[in-house]
Every structure is written in C-alpha cells, then in structure tokens.
Amino acid sequence: MAADTRSATRPGEVEREFLANLGRAAGGAIVFALPVLMTMEMWSLGASLERWRLAVMLLGALPLLVGLSHFVGFEETDTWVDDLRDAFIAIAVGFTTSAVVLTLLGLIGPDRSFDETLGSILIQTVPASFGAIIAQGQLGQTDAADERANRKAGYGGDLLFNAAGAVFLSFNIAPTEEIDLIAASMTPIHAIALVIVSVLAMHAIVYVVRFAGQSRLRPEGHGFWSLFVRYTLPGYAIALISCAAMLWVFGRLDDYGASSALRLVVVLGFPAAVGAAFARLIVGGQS
C-alpha cells in the first residue's frame, strides 16, 4: 500500500493484514507446490543435485519473483527494493511450507543428513514461492484500493508472466523419465508438429477461445499476425529458453547431444507453452 495509506492505518490493523497476507501466501504455496511435493523424482533430485545447481536455480527464480511482486505481489510497492523484500518473503514462506509438508509426509526427518534434508526442501521452495506470491496477489484483492494498486504490466510484464508460467507448470515435469521416453520416440516430423501445436495452442488460449480476462490482453489496432509475431512467438521462445535452463540446472542435458537435447526441450516446451499462456491470461489479464 502507498506510504500515506500506511501512515493512516493503525499498527494493529497493519499487523493483522500482514499476518493474513502470510496466511494466504502459505496456502497458495501448499496448493501450487503439492504436485512437486508428492513427486518421487523431486525427492531424490533434491538430495542428489549438486549444491551449485540448487543455488543457480534459486538465483534464477529471484528475478521472476521480484517481477511478480512488482505487478501482483503482497501489496503495492514503492521501489524495487520493496519488491526484492517481498520476493524474499515469498521464498521464506515457500521454504517453511515445503519443510512442514515434507516433514508431515515423513519424507525428511532425523534419519536423513542435514545436506539431504536441505536439498529436498530447497528444490521444492521454487514452485512453493511462486504459489505464495501469485496466490496472495490474486486471491488477496479485497477492495477497490487493492484493485487500483495492480500495475499495468505492459509488454515487458507480459513476457515476464510467460516465463513465470512456463517455469511453474513445467517444473515438476522436467525431472521425470517420461519426457526422455517421449523425446526418444519422436521423429523430426513429430518434433516439428509439436512445436506448431504448442505455438497455436498458446495463441488460442490467450487470444482466440474467449477466456475471462482475454479482452485486456488484446491491444487495440493489432490483428492476428501482429499479435502472433509480437506476443505469441516471443512468448514461446521464452518458454523454450526456460525449459532449456531448467533441464540444464537439473542435469538432464549433460549426457545428450544437441539433437537429443533439442527434442527434450521441445517436449517440455509443450506444457511450458500452456503454462505461459495461462499465466498471461490469469495474472496479466488482471494487472
């Protein structure tokens, strides 16, 4: 909220609102991260992945969290420092909720080393922190002042939502063996067809099939080809880059040649494209 509003609000109300924000963020973190929290590949990957890769993963997620905070975060922020603070709050909420859920499920405990436990929690923290900041921002809008607080995203914001959605939806799929099996069974024709379907699906979700919020995403004076070239193709490219970065961080590309690695990226790019499109629709359409 703005500085003058903060000063006019009693301390008790500010504290209660902050606790409510944290509660919504924790709920969002659990809901958004449950598919990852209950995926066997993520449990083993968190324990075995090199710690520098985990660090790269968290550092790579931080700019996305800062950007999401700027547009749809916990509250209206005055500076990018405030957005950075809220991003770290989201990471803290994601870390805490992941630790609690993994403990309740019996997946971490005193029988495991500190290093294994920390890795298992950290790898779950990324999707949980995304859930914390998105769910709080979208479900926490309760009055007209909060609605006005949402900033107009603009072109850069739209691309950021693409990246966030691509990472979020494909995060729990990237470590699985199924994408290796699919990629291995594909011919070049299959790969080209999947690229075309992914791009068309992405464009249809955002601009064609009339989901709620779609009208806000269609700039005036832009026809099909303008929207396709200016928004859909860059959005799909961002989804593929996000997939390649995730697969590299998870060590999934280490033993592949260029052709096999590209097929793997294209396979993961399909859910990433869908996630990117819905992120623009859900988050961008309300900003």
Side-chain angles (χ1 to χ4, degrees):
M1 61 182 68
D4 56 343
T5 306
R6 288 195 189 101
S7 61
T9 306
R10 288 179 293 180
E13 293 178 356
V14 173
E15 183 177 344
R16 284 193 295 271
E17 179 63 24
F18 181 73
L19 291 176
N21 287 345
L22 285 181
R24 286 192 293 265
I30 293 173
V31 170
F32 277 66
L34 270 179
V36 183
L37 287 163
M38 304 187 75
T39 301
M40 183 181 298
E41 287 89 351
M42 298 301 291
W43 306 337
S44 58
L45 188 62
S48 62
L49 195 65
E50 295 97 325
R51 293 322 178 222
W52 69 267
R53 291 185 188 264
L54 282 174
V56 169
M57 179 186 68
L58 288 173
L59 289 174
L62 187 58
L64 295 178
L65 291 171
V66 170
L68 289 172
S69 170
H70 185 69
F71 294 113
V72 293
F74 292 94
E75 58 185 1
E76 183 182 2
T77 51
D78 298 320
T79 67
W80 286 102
V81 174
D82 294 334
D83 294 318
L84 184 62
R85 176 207 62 199
D86 282 0
F88 278 113
I89 291 175
I91 290 173
V93 170
F95 182 92
T96 303
T97 54
S98 297
V100 170
V101 172
L102 289 174
T103 301
L104 289 174
L105 296 176
L107 298 172
I108 59 175
D111 57 320
R112 300 185 65 184
S113 69
F114 173 79
D115 187 63
E116 289 179 330
T117 298
L118 182 62
S120 297
I121 297 172
L122 285 177
I123 202 167
Q124 313 284 352
T125 297
V126 171
S129 60
F130 274 72
I133 209 162
I134 293 173
Q136 203 290 324
Q138 295 303 294
L139 301 179
Q141 303 285 10
T142 56
D143 54 35
D146 286 331
E147 291 288 351
R148 289 193 299 270
N150 276 352
R151 295 179 170 90
K152 190 67 177 176
Y155 188 67
D158 287 338
L159 297 183
L160 180 138
F161 299 148
N162 280 328
V167 170
F168 176 76
L169 192 59
S170 60
F171 191 90
N172 64 318
I173 304 173
T176 63
E177 294 182 3
E178 284 77 5
I179 60 171
D180 295 83
L181 297 175
I182 294 170
S185 67
M186 293 176 67
T187 66
I189 299 298
H190 288 117
I192 293 171
L194 185 58
V195 169
I196 294 172
V197 169
S198 299
V199 174
L200 292 179
M202 192 174 184
H203 190 82
I205 289 169
V206 179
Y207 296 112
V208 178
V209 293
R210 299 185 180 180
F211 283 111
Q214 204 170 69
S215 59
R216 301 187 186 185
L217 298 176
R218 183 183 288 273
E220 294 184 6
H222 288 265
F224 172 86
W225 287 110
S226 177
L227 292 172
F228 189 78
V229 172
R230 181 174 169 79
Y231 290 94
T232 302
L233 288 182
Y236 182 63
I238 287 174
L240 290 182
I241 292 170
S242 301
C243 291
M246 269 190 300
L247 290 168
W248 175 78
V249 166
F250 290 158
R252 302 302 307 280
L253 302 180
D254 293 352
D255 300 323
Y256 285 99
S259 177
S260 298
L262 182 59
R263 285 200 303 270
L264 203 63
V265 172
V266 167
V267 170
L268 189 59
F270 177 61
V274 174
F278 274 105
R280 270 204 68 203
L281 195 66
I282 296 170
V283 184
Q286 298 184 29
S287 64

